[in-house]
Amino acid sequence: MDFKLSEDSKEFRKQFRTWIHDNLLDEWKTSSSVTNENTAEIRRQWGKKLFEGGWIAPTWPKEYGGLGLSMEQELVYLEELVSARAPEELNSNVIGVFGPTLIRYGTDEQKNKYIPKILNHEEIWCQGFSEPNAGSDLAGLQTRAEKIGDKYILNGQKIWTSFAQYADKCYVLVRTNPDAPKHEGISMMLLDMHQPGVTVRPLKNLVGTTEFTEVFLEDAIVPENDVVGEINQGWEIANHSLANERGTRMAQRALKMRQEVKDLLHLYKELGDEDLPVEEGLIDSFISAEVVRSVSIRNMMLLSEGNLPSFYPAMGKLTWSERHQKMLDLAFDMLGEKALMEGSQYSHWIHNLLYSRAGTIYAGTSEIQRNIIAKGLGLPSLRGGK
């Protein structure tokens, strides 16, 4: 799927490309030189730089501090960031996933209080959804919120909470009616992470970094004016957030995959090993990247029109995550032991390969995505239900 850009979008590309060139430091660019210790600070500084330059929150309405871009301009925006190998801003999750939800469901008080600090990165946010026994089955969450006076008391545990060790706030799903059907007794609240009763423990993942954490809540407090939407409306609100995560944010991952395929072709030429039987895999990777990009663009277009069927984002996420893993498997086949040698110039490939394993888990496992698609098409689910 290709577009002929309007003159306005061409001018937008020129301006944004120039700004990135003038403001993105070489040491901020995504590469193997970026270590676990400084990644968070790099992403925070880049977020501040985007805000100061007036380039933050591309899809947000202008009245809330965003750019209010058209779908075409948003695609250009993402293409330029990926082409420049810019990092994601540290608040990318809340800006891309929760921000539109807060704008839709939040009170004026909440918007005025939180949105400016989200955009300028004065406050860092994390997402408190998954639990040890409620990952793929998110509606099975057990963290409780009990109302006492004008506040809620939270008790429970969250897991796989990205960058919670740096977060000031958390948008969290909690159970407010334990007697209701599991999809109906959930609420979304805004949690202050800097209070007694909130304990964050980083978890070392497969690639040796500590992006993920587990969060323990013991009598943590949320004022009642920090409930988003109505009490027990949390499942609807969470699905609005997840649609953003599986829809618009997938487009950036799709474009990154396209860039990785270009890097893979360059690697093939660099290795110069004619005995490597990888030509078919390279062609498949190229086609996969184009398919994923087209699916993502279609979803962006439908989302911008307010006409995105619920199972379309699941199709995009499923297609990207599985084909991305296959592409990185090919890179490892090409490199072999070269990717594993200490200090190797190719070590970022094995890092990406290992990290890609999370792609078929976060934002809903591949099995969950297939069930969502099946339900949207009127087909039986993987468990045999409807």
Side-chain angles (χ1 to χ4, degrees):
M1 181 183 295
D2 290 315
F3 296 97
K4 292 183 178 179
L5 295 179
S6 66
E7 292 302 316
D8 286 345
S9 292
K10 290 178 182 178
E11 180 60 27
F12 174 82
R13 184 190 294 279
K14 180 180 178 181
Q15 293 175 0
F16 190 41
R17 180 179 292 177
T18 299
W19 183 86
I20 293 176
H21 179 269
D22 293 341
N23 289 273
L24 179 62
L25 301 180
D26 286 342
E27 58 264 33
W28 288 359
K29 295 180 181 179
T30 53
S31 72
S32 57
S33 64
V34 178
T35 65
N36 186 46
E37 289 72 26
N38 64 13
T39 297
E41 185 56 28
I42 287 172
R43 292 181 60 178
R44 183 198 291 266
Q45 292 302 321
W46 179 237
K48 289 181 177 179
K49 184 69 73 172
L50 285 168
F51 171 78
E52 292 165 358
W55 296 103
I56 202 75
T59 61
W60 287 25
K62 291 182 179 180
E63 59 264 36
Y64 292 107
L67 292 173
L69 298 184
S70 66
M71 191 278 293
E72 180 182 89
Q73 290 173 324
E74 181 187 359
L75 179 62
V76 169
Y77 179 93
L78 296 175
E79 285 177 341
E80 290 303 311
L81 288 173
V82 170
S83 177
R85 302 183 187 272
E88 290 188 22
E89 66 274 24
L90 190 53
N91 264 344
S92 62
N93 177 277
V94 67
I95 291 173
V97 177
F98 177 65
T101 303
L102 184 62
I103 289 171
R104 176 172 175 175
Y105 292 96
T107 64
D108 289 340
E109 177 186 0
Q110 290 169 346
K111 296 172 190 176
N112 293 333
K113 180 179 180 181
Y114 294 119
I115 283 178
K117 293 181 180 180
I118 288 172
L119 295 181
N120 68 15
H121 280 64
E122 182 178 338
E123 290 181 341
I124 302 303
W125 286 65
C126 62
Q127 179 191 85
F129 280 17
S130 296
E131 297 183 4
N133 295 309
S136 295
D137 182 20
L138 181 58
L141 64 89
Q142 295 298 313
T143 295
R144 299 288 185 92
E146 180 183 2
K147 192 171 191 297
I148 299 179
D150 60 354
K151 59 189 177 184
Y152 287 87
I153 307 300
L154 276 58
N155 285 279
Q157 180 186 355
K158 297 293 178 179
I159 200 166
W160 318 129
T161 309
S162 298
F163 297 111
Q165 66 267 51
Y166 308 108
D168 304 292
K169 306 290 181 181
C170 178
Y171 60 103
V172 60
L173 289 179
V174 295
R175 187 159 299 284
T176 43
N177 185 353
D179 298 322
K182 66 179 185 178
H183 292 85
E184 299 175 13
I186 296 171
S187 300
M188 182 176 286
M189 300 183 180
L190 308 179
L191 174 71
D192 180 2
M193 297 290 286
H194 302 302
Q195 62 169 298
V198 177
T199 302
V200 178
R201 295 179 184 172
L203 298 169
K204 185 171 289 188
N205 61 25
L206 188 64
V207 295
T209 62
T210 54
E211 173 185 342
F212 299 130
T213 68
E214 53 184 350
V215 178
F216 297 89
L217 304 176
E218 300 177 86
D219 293 336
I221 297 173
V222 172
E224 64 179 350
N225 58 2
D226 275 339
V227 175
V228 180
E230 300 294 329
I231 286 292
N232 299 322
Q233 191 187 13
W235 188 248
E236 173 190 332
I237 298 173
N239 275 288
H240 183 270
S241 295
L242 291 172
N244 291 318
E245 184 172 16
R246 296 168 182 160
T248 304
R249 279 174 59 79
M250 279 300 119
Q252 188 165 7
R253 287 170 170 78
L255 291 170
K256 285 183 178 180
M257 180 177 171
R258 206 179 188 213
Q259 182 68 55
E260 284 178 311
V261 170
K262 293 179 182 179
D263 292 343
L264 193 62
L265 291 170
H266 178 77
L267 176 65
Y268 175 67
K269 295 176 182 178
E270 180 182 321
L271 293 174
D273 189 346
E274 297 181 355
D275 294 329
L276 280 173
V278 297
E279 287 84 355
E280 184 176 338
L282 289 168
I283 294 171
D284 182 69
S285 295
F286 175 82
I287 294 173
S288 294
E290 295 303 309
V291 168
V292 169
R293 176 178 179 269
S294 295
V295 170
S296 297
I297 292 173
R298 178 201 58 189
N299 288 349
M300 287 172 62
M301 180 177 64
L302 293 174
L303 187 62
S304 69
E305 296 171 351
N307 187 33
L308 181 63
S310 61
F311 63 94
Y312 275 30
M315 292 172 65
K317 196 268 183 179
L318 178 67
T319 304
W320 165 78
S321 60
E322 295 192 347
R323 297 198 176 201
H324 186 231
Q325 289 179 354
K326 188 175 180 180
M327 184 207 76
L328 291 169
D329 286 341
L330 177 64
F332 187 69
D333 288 342
M334 291 168 57
L335 286 166
E337 63 183 17
K338 296 185 183 69
L340 301 175
M341 295 174 64
E342 186 174 353
S344 170
Q345 61 178 315
Y346 305 117
S347 60
H348 62 284
W349 284 106
I350 187 64
H351 178 281
N352 293 342
L353 168 69
L354 294 175
Y355 194 84
S356 74
R357 269 44 202 168
T360 48
I361 300 174
Y362 62 67
T365 64
S366 291
E367 291 77 11
I368 290 295
Q369 305 308 321
R370 286 185 167 87
N371 276 344
I372 293 172
I373 295 167
K375 183 177 180 180
L377 296 175
L379 300 173
S381 70
L382 293 177
R383 294 180 179 177
K386 283 273 189 162

